[in-house]
Amino acid sequence: KPPPARFLKDKEAVQAYVARTEKAEAWYKYGDPASPCLIIARVKPHGGTKDKILFPFTPKDGGYVLSKDGQKDIPLYLQHQLEHIQTVLVVEGEKSVEAAWKCGIPATTSVGGSKAASGSDWSALAGKRVVIWPDNDTSGELYADDVQEILTALGCAISRIDPKGIGLEKGGDVADLVAMWPERTQRETDILLALMDDAEPQGAMSEMEGWHQKIMSGKWKSLDWPTKVLGTLSRASIPGSVTLLCADPGAGKSWLMLQLM
């Protein structure tokens, strides 16, 4: 049986608990900013063995519980700012979200890191155009895979940035790129927008685009079916399609296929 979660009676107690590790670099609120369902403290630890520690605090009974307190389907970070936004950048981690917003790019992430994409409620992005920017490492790619699977089921138009082509070090993210710029100007915003525009489309639309490119380049050519009725009454000549030829036994299906071949 796990030990009971630590209960902290007020904000001062929370800050004192965090200060035992070292100092809080940032506080991230999930849900309604005035009454959040979860608060994450990003803490710089002593000793330098890790670059950060994330402490989750759940408001409860007038105080704070040091845990997610069994919460599921937690809202996305800064979800309240995305209601009327049609194109959203999805990154890994709250720090990257805030770096993108500083450059005027609407962004969000899920709570819990690269292995917990399914622990958040992504429905706020249903039907939107989403650009996924993975961290430049294996865990970042796996997180992007999980997010893409979730958003595909929500009917999102998904594109994906390849972090390997941006020039970031291993594990580098949006926050690392923005940190390279001493000032936040329109030029920096245009760079991020250009990266999003060049993101590779995912899913069926991406496959369709690939087929069209091969047809236009002459690599693929649509051939007319020798049997007219198959060409006019079916979609058998469309690249990438699968045609089922059905008939009674002995009707000549195999003979017809040999003739077509």
Side-chain angles (χ1 to χ4, degrees):
K1 183 178 179 181
R6 181 184 295 272
F7 181 80
L8 303 168
K9 64 179 182 178
D10 52 31
K11 292 181 180 179
E12 288 73 20
V14 170
Q15 292 173 340
Y17 182 86
V18 169
R20 293 169 51 190
T21 305
E22 190 165 342
K23 67 175 183 177
E25 296 181 317
W27 299 85
Y28 306 120
K29 295 181 179 180
Y30 281 80
D32 184 354
S35 180
C37 64
L38 184 68
I39 300 173
I40 303 292
R42 180 187 175 95
V43 180
K44 183 179 179 180
H46 288 296
T49 55
K50 295 182 178 180
D51 62 343
K52 68 179 184 298
I53 298 177
L54 299 177
F55 288 134
F57 296 97
T58 301
K60 186 175 183 180
D61 299 333
Y64 298 87
V65 176
L66 180 57
S67 75
K68 294 180 185 177
D69 199 35
Q71 293 188 75
K72 296 181 179 179
D73 297 329
I74 297 171
L76 298 175
Y77 185 53
L78 300 185
Q79 179 176 307
H80 61 286
Q81 299 186 35
L82 302 176
E83 183 177 357
H84 302 294
I85 303 295
Q86 294 305 311
T87 300
V88 179
L89 180 66
V90 171
V91 295
E92 182 188 333
E94 298 89 354
K95 185 177 180 179
S96 289
V97 172
E98 299 205 342
W101 276 99
K102 288 178 181 177
C103 292
I105 306 297
T108 191
T109 192
S110 55
V111 69
S114 61
K115 298 181 180 180
S118 60
S120 292
D121 179 4
W122 294 85
S123 60
L125 300 186
K128 295 182 183 291
R129 177 178 178 248
V130 176
V131 180
I132 303 175
W133 186 330
D135 286 3
N136 190 22
D137 54 23
T138 301
S139 62
E141 292 293 331
L142 293 175
Y143 175 73
D145 291 342
D146 292 341
V147 172
Q148 183 173 324
E149 182 177 354
I150 294 169
L151 295 181
T152 297
L154 293 174
C156 296
I158 304 169
S159 299
R160 188 157 159 175
I161 292 173
D162 181 4
K164 299 181 181 66
I166 300 175
L168 295 172
E169 295 181 357
K170 185 176 181 180
D173 54 22
V174 183
D176 294 320
L177 180 61
V178 173
M180 297 179 183
W181 301 326
E183 299 179 0
R184 310 285 187 268
T185 66
Q186 185 60 42
R187 177 179 176 275
E188 281 71 39
T189 299
D190 290 343
I191 291 174
L192 293 182
L193 289 173
L195 289 170
M196 293 172 64
D197 287 340
D198 290 341
E200 185 71 23
Q202 305 294 305
M205 287 301 294
S206 175
E207 295 177 18
M208 180 76 74
E209 182 181 10
W211 296 341
H212 289 171
Q213 291 293 337
K214 291 177 181 177
I215 293 170
M216 288 187 288
S217 67
K219 185 175 182 180
W220 284 5
K221 182 177 180 181
S222 296
L223 301 178
D224 293 331
W225 283 74
T227 306
K228 184 177 180 181
V229 68
L230 281 179
T232 57
L233 298 184
S234 78
R235 298 174 178 267
S237 61
I238 295 179
S241 64
V242 175
T243 300
L244 303 182
L245 182 61
C246 306
D248 291 332
K253 299 185 297 296
S254 300
W255 177 252
L256 175 58
M257 292 308 299
L258 288 171
Q259 292 298 309
L260 295 176
M261 294 171 66

